[in-house]
Amino acid sequence: AAAAAVLPLALSACGGEDGGNTNADGTWEPNGPIEITAPAGTGGGWDTLARTSARLLESEGLVDQSIQVVNKPGAGGAIGWAYIAGNEGDPQKLFVTSPPILLVPMAGDSEYDHEDFTPIARLATDYIVYLVPADSELETFDDLVETVDEGDANIGGGSAPGSMDHVALAGAIDAAGGNAAAASYVPFDGGGEAMTALLGGHVDAAVVGVSEAAGMLEAGELRALAVSSPEPVEAIADVPTLLDQDVDFTFDIWRGVMAPSGLDEAQVTYYEDLFADLLETQAWQEESASLGWTDAYQNSADFGAFLDEKRSEFTEILTEVGLQ
C-alpha cells in the first residue's frame, strides 16, 4: 500500500507525457532541450530575438537544459506558425512573435492567429527605421515621400504585404501628406533579406526594425532617414524621428514569446518567470540597449489582453491607409 501511494508522486516528480517535470509542489520545469522557433530566415528581427534570448538564458545560467533555435521561414511567418500549431500541448517548443502574428491573419494569409497559441510574455519594444543606401541623394523622409509620389520608389520590407513593415511605411507616408498607395512595396522574408536587396540596388529604400539595421548603420553601409519612435533611440541617436520631421506618426514593434496551445498553468508560470528573470540581467540590459530595444515586459495574461487590443488598433490603421 505504501509503495502504491508513493508511485503517483514519483511519476509526477520524474515527469511524463507532458514533456517536462512536474514537481511535488506543483511547479513544472523542462526535462529536455527547449526549442525556440523564429518564423523567418536568419538575420531578421525574429531571428535576432530568438538567438539573443537563447544565448543569454544559457550563459546567465537561467536554464538547466540547452536551448535550440530553429528557423521556419516563409509566408510572412505562417509556415512557422503552422509548425507550432502542429505541436499542440508541447511545453518545450516556443516561438518569438511581433505584429505580423496579428497582421498576416488579418490579411487572410494564415489560417492561424494569436488566439491559436499560448501567450508567454511580451519582452521588448523595437522601432522601424526607413533606410536608403549610404550614397543616396535622399536626405529626409519628405524626400522619400516625394519620390514615392512621383512613382519612382521601390521600397523593400521584411514582412508580407499588408503586414508590419508595409503598415509602418504606408502609415508614415500618409501622415506626411503623401500617397501611400503609390508606394511600390516589395516584401522579403525578413529584414535581413530586405537590407541585402537594398545594398544590391534591387530596391531604392527599405523599412526594417532598428535591431535589424543597427549593425549596418554603425558600419556606414546604409543610412536611416527616420525612426518611428516617439523619442530618439540610443542605439542610433543621430537618426531623427518622424516627429522631429513634422510627420505625426509613430510605430512600435513589440516583441514577445508564445507557445503552442494546450499548456497548463504551471508550464506558463515557469516561462513567465524565466523571461522576467532574463530581463533583469545586466547582459540582457546591455545587449538590448545596443539593439535599440526598450524593455516592455508583460506576463501571459497581460500579453494576451495586449494582443487583443492591438488587433483592434491595427484594424483602424489598415482601414485608414487603405490596406483593408
Side-chain angles (χ1 to χ4, degrees):
V6 169
L7 182 59
L9 178 60
L11 288 174
S12 176
C14 292
E17 295 180 358
D18 66 357
N21 294 325
T22 301
N23 301 313
D25 61 359
T27 61
W28 177 91
E29 59 187 8
N31 64 0
I34 300 167
E35 182 181 281
I36 303 180
T37 293
T42 59
W46 282 333
D47 182 67
T48 299
L49 179 59
R51 294 185 185 279
T52 300
S53 299
R55 175 167 45 80
L56 295 183
L57 284 169
E58 290 187 347
S59 66
E60 294 299 300
L62 297 176
V63 290
D64 295 328
Q65 306 294 339
S66 65
I67 302 180
Q68 303 168 350
V69 174
V70 297
N71 294 86
K72 297 286 184 181
I79 299 298
W81 303 328
Y83 167 72
I84 293 293
N87 286 276
E88 180 179 353
D90 186 342
Q92 294 183 191
K93 283 186 168 56
L94 307 175
F95 70 102
V96 291
T97 189
S98 63
I101 191 66
L102 303 177
L103 291 163
V104 172
M106 289 171 66
D109 295 326
S110 172
E111 63 179 296
Y112 302 104
D113 64 18
H114 74 284
E115 294 180 338
D116 294 305
F117 305 105
T118 303
I120 295 296
R122 178 185 173 192
L123 302 182
T125 294
D126 196 358
Y127 295 98
I128 288 284
V129 280
Y130 304 84
L131 302 171
V132 293
D135 60 356
S136 172
E137 296 181 355
L138 304 180
E139 296 292 337
T140 68
F141 188 77
D142 278 343
D143 291 340
L144 178 61
V145 173
E146 183 177 339
T147 304
V148 167
D149 286 346
E150 292 171 353
D152 295 330
N154 293 318
I155 303 175
S159 62
S163 190
M164 178 175 67
D165 295 348
H166 193 188
V167 171
L169 173 66
I173 291 173
D174 182 67
N179 180 10
S184 178
Y185 179 77
V186 183
F188 293 91
D189 187 24
E193 288 190 11
M195 290 186 292
T196 298
L198 180 58
L199 286 169
H202 304 295
V203 292
D204 304 300
V207 185
V208 303
V210 170
S211 60
E212 298 169 299
M216 287 192 179
L217 289 173
E218 184 177 358
E221 297 179 75
L222 298 174
R223 182 162 48 82
L225 301 178
V227 60
S228 69
S229 56
E231 298 178 353
V233 175
E234 182 178 348
I236 52 169
D238 59 334
V239 177
T241 67
L242 289 167
L243 297 177
D244 289 335
Q245 301 177 65
D246 296 323
V247 179
D248 188 14
F249 183 79
T250 60
F251 189 93
D252 63 296
I253 310 171
W254 43 266
R255 300 194 183 279
V257 181
M258 301 184 78
S261 63
L263 269 64
D264 65 32
E265 183 178 351
Q267 293 162 348
V268 172
T269 297
Y270 170 83
Y271 285 118
E272 283 179 324
D273 294 345
L274 178 65
F275 283 100
D277 290 343
L278 174 63
L279 266 62
E280 292 296 323
T281 65
Q282 183 175 349
W284 172 272
Q285 295 291 330
E286 292 175 353
E287 190 132 359
S288 63
S290 71
L291 291 167
W293 293 341
T294 301
D295 287 352
Y297 179 83
Q298 290 179 314
N299 64 20
S300 176
D302 290 343
F303 188 30
F306 171 84
L307 291 171
D308 292 338
E309 178 185 330
K310 282 296 178 181
R311 179 168 56 184
S312 297
E313 290 182 14
F314 283 149
T315 299
E316 295 179 10
I317 293 174
L318 290 168
T319 301
E320 184 175 335
V321 300
L323 294 177
Q324 182 166 303

